[in-house]
Every structure is written in C-alpha cells, then in structure tokens.
Amino acid sequence: MKKIVITYGTYDLLHVGHINLLKRARDLGDYLIVGLSTDEFNRMKNKDCFLPYVQRKAVLETIRYVDEVIPEENWEQKVADIKNKKIDIFVMGNDWEGKFDELKKCCEVVYLERTPDISTTCLKENIIDKVKKLI
Ligand code: C2G
C-alpha cells in the first residue's frame, strides 16, 4: 500500500534546508505532495516572496523527492487535503513543533529537525549585504 506524505511551505529561494526537509519527508513514504503557499496566502502569512508561485512550483517539481505540488491557499485546507489526497503522514520542520497537532486525528504528524544556519531570510540579507558592498 503506497504511503502518501504531505508537507506545506513557501519554498522561496530554494536552499539546502528545504531539500533536507523534502528528502526526509519523502523517505517516510512512497509519494510526497507539497502544499505550496500561493502568493496571496504568503501575503496573509506576511511573507514577502522573491519568486512568484508559478516559478516556485516549477522549481519544486524538478526535485526528485517531490511527486506532486498543490496550492496552499489558506491555513484551514489541511484537513480536507489530508482526506482528499488520502494522506498517511503530515510532515513539517520542527519550527512548527506542536502547531499542527490537531491533525493527529487525521493522520500521523511528524516534525523534523530544521537544518541549522540557513533560511530564506538570511539568504536575502546576505544578498543585500553583498550588493551594498558593490555599490
Ligand atoms: N525548513 C527547514 N530548515 C530550514 C528552513 C526551512 O527544515 N533551515 C523547513 C520548514 O520547517 C518548513 C519547510 O522547510 O517545513 C518550508 O519552509 P518555508 O518555505 O519557510 O515554509 P513556511 O513559511 O514555514 O510555511 O502551512 C505551513 C506553512 O505554509 C509553512
């Protein structure tokens, strides 16, 4: 029986922290779905994205660990996604530890260790610092 895994995120400026999460999530099952935050939802998350949804989706779909990408449009859709996609395991990085425990009524919930010392925010800050030095 194919074990289906789902995770959600913005996945802007893809980096090794994202890849480590996707690889470990995929290794928990046989098929990985990523709920990718839409540009509108990122505005709701107060997350300022470099890349639009279409480009972030295209990048994710090239990753060998990712089998399917669906839009994440709101906080509430996870229960319906889990039911409709017959999800066995919900995975997030442990910066979200405990935040999605209500999903334990629908499927297994796993929080994986975040990759230290890398984030989209620090990438952005490093890029800005480097550009400032050039000016
Ligand atoms: N992540 C990680 N290590 C990092 C950075 C991110 O393991 N150094 C993980 C996060 O914990 C998350 C995933 O990579 O599980 C995607 O991170 P973001 O794109 O920052 O997603 P986020 O803004 O946390 O959105 O409904 C859930 C939200 O959509 C999650």
Side-chain angles (χ1 to χ4, degrees), residues 5 30 48 59 118:
V5 185
D30 308 290
D48 175 21
V59 169
I118 183 122

Side-chain angles (χ1 to χ4, degrees), residues 5-11 21-22 32-38 41-42 45 53 56-57 60 66-75 77-78 81 85 87 90-92:
V5 185
I6 196 165
T7 190
Y8 292 81
T10 302
Y11 290 96
L21 189 285
L22 295 170
L32 174 62
I33 300 172
V34 179
L36 183 63
S37 308
T38 59
F41 184 48
N42 274 322
K45 292 199 289 187
Y53 175 82
R56 290 182 284 117
K57 180 172 185 287
L60 273 189
V66 177
D67 297 288
E68 183 180 347
V69 178
I70 62 172
E72 179 188 31
E73 297 168 306
N74 55 64
W75 293 109
Q77 71 181 76
K78 293 182 177 71
D81 289 347
K85 292 288 185 177
I87 300 298
F90 167 87
V91 175
M92 287 303 292

Side-chain angles (χ1 to χ4, degrees), residues 7-12 15-18 20-21 24 35 37 41-42 45 47 72 74-75 78 90-96 100 112-120:
T7 190
Y8 292 81
T10 302
Y11 290 96
D12 189 29
H15 54 68
V16 72
H18 295 139
N20 288 341
L21 189 285
R24 287 174 295 161
S37 308
F41 184 48
N42 274 322
K45 292 199 289 187
K47 223 168 173 173
E72 179 188 31
N74 55 64
W75 293 109
K78 293 182 177 71
F90 167 87
V91 175
M92 287 303 292
N94 65 358
D95 47 313
W96 290 95
F100 298 111
L112 297 172
E113 195 68 33
R114 245 180 98 86
T115 302
D117 310 323
I118 183 122
S119 70
T120 303

